[in-house]
Amino acid sequence: MNLIPVLKPTLPSVDSIISSLREVDQKNWYTNLGPKERTLRETLSTTFQRESIGEIALFSSGTSALIACMKSWDLPPGSKCLVPSWTFVGSACAIVQAGLIPVFVDVDAKTWAPSRQSLDQHTHDDDVRAALIVSPFGGEVDYPELCRVADESGLKILIDAAASFDFVCKLCSTHQRLSIPIMISLHATKLVSSIEGGLILCGDIEQTQRMIAWSNFGIFDTEPISQIGTNAKLSEVHAVYGLRSLGFWDKVRSRLDKLAERYVSMLQDLDLGIGFAPNIRDRLVSSTFNIEVPGCSTQFDAALSRLGIQTKRWWRTGVHPMSAFSRFDAEPLDTTSVLARNVIGIPFFFDLSEREQDRVVNAIRECLR
C-alpha cells in the first residue's frame, strides 16, 4: 500500500527556471538586493495592489522577517509581546530572538486567533508593549479590529500570516493602507515559495527601510549605519524561484480550492462531527488541510498511518508546554489545549488525486467508527 503524504511542495521545476538562472549567472549578481529580488518585490506589489514597492521587504526566511519587524520597533529591553500559544514554534522563537519576552494567550474556539477580550486583559501591564497575532493555517484575522486595538492601546502589532497568501490578497483588495505590518512565509511548504524566504508588507515606508537595512548589516543605500543588523537578505536564486512560483498562483489556488471543497463535502457526509480549520470555512486556500476531530488521540494518527495515510499535528501541543518556553508567562489556555488534542492535518497538495482523496476519507471513516 502506497503512503499518501500529508504535503508535497508545489515548486517550479529546474527546467522551467533555467533561463532565469542563466541570467543571474550572466549578470554575476547573486545576492545583495539584486535585480531579480527587485523584480520579485515589484511583482508582489502588483499582486497585493500596493502603490509602492517600498511597502514590501524580502528576507531569507519568514522567521528573519518577523525578527526584522520587531527589531524595527526599537522597544525597551524586557518588553513583553503577546502571542498565541496555538501557533508554530517559530513565532515564539522570533519574539525571543528580537529581544522581547513572549506572554502566551489563548485563542477563540471559532477563529483560532486571540480575541479582543484576550488582548485587552493585558493592556494594563506597562511592560506589555507588543502583540504578534497569528493567522491560523491561512485563516482570517480581524484586521480592522486589530487596528483599533493598536490605536487605543498603543500596542505595536504584527500579523504572522505565514501560510496566508490567499487571505492577504483578499485583505489588500479592501485595505489600501496597511497600518499593521504583515509577514508571509515563502518557505517550500507554502503555496507561493522561493524555497526559503519571507516578506513583510508594511504601509510605513520608513519602517520598511529600517527592516531592509537590518537584513543588510544595518546598511540602506548610502545612509549612515544607525542600527546593528545581520545578514538576512533573499538571494537572486531564491528570487527566481519566487517569481516563477508566483506566476502559478492563480492555477494553484483554483486547484486547491476545488480539492478543499470536495474534502468538505465528503467529510460532512460522514456525519461524524468533524470540524474544519477557519480558513477552510472561509474558502481561503492554504498549503495544509486541518480537521478538528472531537476526542481525537494519537491512536487515531497511528490508525491512519497503518492504512497508508500520513498525517501531521502541525502545531503539536501549542508552544507553552515546550521545555524551551515553559518559563514564560501564560494565561489559562483551555481552548489551546482542546485544539492541540483535536486538530490534525490530512493529505493536501496540488496533485492529490480524487482516488487518493477517497482513500483518505474512507480511512477516516474506518478509524472513527
Side-chain angles (χ1 to χ4, degrees), residues 81-86 103-107 114-115 118-119 121-122 132-133 329-333 336:
C81 180
L82 305 178
V83 63
S85 177
W86 185 235
V103 176
F104 295 110
V105 298
D106 207 5
V107 293
S115 66
S118 180
L119 298 177
Q121 288 175 355
H122 295 272
L132 178 58
I133 304 299
D329 291 343
E331 66 179 30
L333 299 165
T336 296

Side-chain angles (χ1 to χ4, degrees), residues 86 107-114 134-142 163-164 166-167 170 253 257 260 264 274-286 288-292 315 335 339 342-344:
W86 185 235
V107 293
D108 179 80
K110 181 179 179 181
T111 66
W112 297 8
V134 178
S135 162
F137 299 109
E140 291 191 13
V141 294
D142 191 338
S164 307
D166 196 19
F167 163 60
K170 177 182 176 182
R253 194 208 177 281
D257 182 56
V264 169
I274 294 172
F276 303 95
N279 70 295
I280 298 167
R281 300 195 300 265
D282 296 333
R283 291 293 295 269
L284 293 168
V285 302
S286 184
T288 61
F289 192 98
N290 290 276
I291 59 175
E292 188 173 2
W315 290 352
T335 301
L339 293 174
N342 294 346
V343 173
I344 185 170

Side-chain angles (χ1 to χ4, degrees), residues 40 169 215 321:
L40 179 55
C169 285
S215 75

Side-chain angles (χ1 to χ4, degrees), residues 22 48 70 96 121 142 144 175 191 209 223 248 263 284 287 302 308 325 328 337 344 364:
R22 287 198 177 102
F48 293 128
M70 289 185 279
V96 176
Q121 288 175 355
D142 191 338
H175 289 73
L191 300 182
Q209 291 174 352
E223 295 180 7
F248 285 102
Y263 254 150
L284 293 168
S287 53
F325 293 94
F328 296 109
S337 298
I344 185 170
I364 291 173

Side-chain angles (χ1 to χ4, degrees), residues 66-329:
L66 291 175
I67 298 169
C69 187
M70 289 185 279
K71 285 282 193 182
S72 73
W73 292 332
D74 197 23
L75 295 175
S79 296
K80 296 179 181 178
C81 180
L82 305 178
V83 63
S85 177
W86 185 235
T87 184
F88 179 60
V89 67
S91 306
C93 287
I95 291 172
V96 176
Q97 291 168 359
L100 307 180
I101 300 172
V103 176
F104 295 110
V105 298
D106 207 5
V107 293
D108 179 80
K110 181 179 179 181
T111 66
W112 297 8
S115 66
R116 170 70 189 261
Q117 181 181 9
S118 180
L119 298 177
D120 285 345
Q121 288 175 355
H122 295 272
T123 54
H124 66 277
D125 185 341
D126 291 339
D127 290 332
V128 173
R129 298 172 179 266
L132 178 58
I133 304 299
V134 178
S135 162
F137 299 109
E140 291 191 13
V141 294
D142 191 338
Y143 194 86
E145 183 66 14
L146 289 173
C147 291
R148 285 190 286 272
V149 171
D151 289 341
E152 294 168 12
S153 68
L155 283 181
K156 299 290 188 181
I157 297 179
L158 166 62
I159 296 175
D160 181 346
S164 307
F165 197 92
D166 196 19
F167 163 60
V168 177
C169 285
K170 177 182 176 182
L171 179 70
C172 287
S173 68
T174 57
H175 289 73
Q176 283 305 305
R177 182 176 179 271
L178 296 179
S179 57
I180 294 177
I182 303 170
M183 187 282 292
I184 301 175
S185 171
L186 300 175
H187 187 263
T189 55
K190 304 304 185 285
L191 300 182
V192 174
S193 172
S194 57
I195 302 181
E196 279 284 8
L199 67 91
I200 293 279
L201 276 167
C202 179
D204 184 334
I205 293 180
E206 289 186 4
Q207 184 183 3
T208 303
Q209 291 174 352
R210 291 197 300 275
M211 290 187 277
I212 294 172
W214 177 85
S215 75
N216 189 35
F217 307 102
I219 302 168
F220 187 83
D221 289 340
T222 59
E223 295 180 7
I225 297 175
S226 59
Q227 63 173 313
I228 298 173
T230 190
N231 185 5
K233 301 183 294 293
L234 189 78
S235 79
E236 290 292 271
V237 171
H238 289 90
V240 165
Y241 270 97
L243 281 164
R244 186 64 176 175
S245 177
L246 186 56
F248 285 102
W249 162 241
D250 289 337
K251 180 179 179 181
V252 170
R253 194 208 177 281
S254 176
R255 170 63 179 162
L256 292 183
D257 182 56
K258 290 177 182 177
L259 287 175
E261 186 178 23
R262 188 169 188 268
Y263 254 150
V264 169
S265 176
M266 296 172 71
L267 290 168
Q268 286 178 333
D269 286 346
L270 296 183
D271 197 23
L272 293 172
I274 294 172
F276 303 95
N279 70 295
I280 298 167
R281 300 195 300 265
D282 296 333
R283 291 293 295 269
L284 293 168
V285 302
S286 184
S287 53
T288 61
F289 192 98
N290 290 276
I291 59 175
E292 188 173 2
V293 183
C296 179
S297 71
T298 54
Q299 292 179 344
F300 178 64
D301 310 43
L304 286 174
S305 180
R306 287 193 293 271
L307 294 173
I309 310 300
Q310 186 182 44
T311 59
K312 191 171 182 70
R313 294 181 183 258
W314 292 102
W315 290 352
R316 301 190 182 187
T317 59
V319 180
H320 71 283
M322 298 177 181
S323 59
F325 293 94
S326 59
R327 61 190 172 95
F328 296 109
D329 291 343

